[in-house]
Amino acid sequence: MSDDQVAGELKKMTMFIRQEALEKAKEIQIKADEEFAIEKSKLVRQETSSIDSQYEKKFKQASMSQQITRSTLANKTRLKVLSARQELLDDLFERARDQLESYSEDESKYQEICKNLILEGLYALNEGKVAVRARKEDYEVVKKSIEDAKKEYKEKVSKDIEIELDEKNPQPEASSGGVSIVGTGGRIDINNTFEERLKLLETDALPMVRTSLFGKNENRKFYD
């Protein structure tokens, strides 16, 4: 083989090797691009998932924080409303307490009130003999109330009853009025003074007063 032929063969071999190298390089580049694209997509998905996870976590935290804030504000508002209502009720009963003494100023009306208070005690005790306690300043009025009560009691139950005014144990002068009816040898004392009746009213009539002032409580399921 001549030198020219050898040179030609070498040239062919060189071109073949170069072509093969180029194809191999292209193949490697394509594969590398594919792997890069796959890895890039994987990284994007991971980052996207991470971002979504962080967003969801922050969203849940924000929602929880908002719920807590709303609940706290609702409770504070509710407590303020309840406090304002209680202040109004306290003021209402305080004003009623201040007016108690005025009920004993009109003698005829006060005599009727005391009679009814005594009768209430008589019916509750259902005894043949009782004692009535009152303020010293009310003795004259209460004596008349006792006579009226005895008469009405006999008309209603067809029985006589003995009622004495217990002047040894008067009601405190600071009392606003009313009477106590004592039976069973002093062991049972029905306190029908104005102060005690107002206390009972505060307890027994409070739900009705609340409803009258503020309306029905929609959250309350049971009533007495």
Side-chain angles (χ1 to χ4, degrees):
M1 184 178 290
S2 65
D3 291 340
D4 290 337
Q5 289 177 327
V6 170
E9 288 297 324
L10 286 171
K11 188 176 181 181
K12 286 180 182 179
M13 287 180 65
T14 301
M15 290 178 65
F16 175 76
I17 292 169
R18 185 171 178 275
Q19 183 64 33
E20 192 175 58
L22 288 172
E23 290 178 358
K24 189 69 175 177
K26 187 176 181 182
E27 184 181 332
I28 291 170
Q29 183 64 45
I30 291 171
K31 189 174 182 181
D33 289 344
E34 288 177 351
E35 289 179 352
F36 173 76
I38 292 170
E39 191 63 28
K40 180 182 176 182
S41 177
K42 183 179 177 182
L43 287 171
V44 169
R45 284 199 304 271
Q46 288 177 345
E47 286 300 316
T48 303
S49 178
S50 177
I51 292 170
D52 289 345
S53 178
Q54 289 178 11
Y55 172 78
E56 186 177 356
K57 184 178 179 181
K58 288 182 179 179
F59 180 76
K60 285 181 178 178
Q61 289 175 341
S63 296
M64 182 63 70
S65 178
Q66 190 178 45
Q67 288 177 7
I68 292 171
T69 301
R70 283 179 179 173
S71 178
T72 302
L73 288 173
N75 284 333
K76 284 183 178 179
T77 302
R78 179 174 172 274
L79 288 173
K80 285 182 179 179
V81 170
L82 290 175
S83 178
R85 286 182 176 183
Q86 189 59 48
E87 285 181 12
L88 180 60
L89 290 170
D90 291 343
D91 180 63
L92 179 68
F93 284 113
E94 187 60 37
R95 279 188 284 170
R97 203 171 287 111
D98 292 339
Q99 293 177 9
L100 287 179
E101 274 193 53
S102 65
Y103 291 106
S104 61
E105 292 174 357
D106 187 320
E107 186 173 315
S108 61
K109 288 183 178 178
Y110 187 49
Q111 181 179 327
E112 179 72 12
I113 290 171
C114 288
K115 180 203 76 172
N116 291 329
L117 293 175
I118 292 169
L119 277 170
E120 187 178 292
L122 299 182
Y123 296 137
L125 291 169
N126 193 27
E127 296 183 9
K129 182 178 180 180
V130 298
V132 171
R133 292 172 182 168
R135 298 183 302 180
K136 287 182 180 180
E137 64 185 89
D138 294 337
Y139 280 173
E140 294 306 314
V141 175
V142 172
K143 284 176 183 178
K144 295 176 184 176
S145 299
I146 287 173
E147 293 305 315
D148 293 340
K150 286 167 67 174
K151 182 179 178 181
E152 186 169 329
Y153 183 80
K154 185 174 182 178
E155 290 174 356
K156 293 289 176 65
V157 301
S158 301
K159 286 197 303 185
D160 288 318
I161 186 168
E162 184 179 344
I163 306 173
E164 68 171 9
L165 179 61
D166 184 1
E167 297 185 20
K168 293 180 181 179
N169 298 289
Q171 296 286 2
E173 291 305 314
S175 171
S176 298
V179 296
S180 288
I181 302 89
V182 183
T184 319
R187 291 193 296 275
I188 299 178
D189 184 348
I190 297 176
N191 191 337
N192 269 350
T193 58
F194 287 168
E195 290 84 0
E196 192 63 26
R197 295 304 293 255
L198 183 59
K199 285 181 185 177
L200 291 173
L201 183 65
E202 286 184 47
T203 302
D204 296 342
L206 191 56
M208 183 178 66
V209 173
R210 277 203 186 102
T211 301
S212 298
L213 290 175
F214 312 120
K216 287 186 177 180
N217 185 347
E218 298 298 331
N219 296 320
R220 188 173 180 181
K221 296 181 180 179
F222 304 102
Y223 293 86
D224 296 334

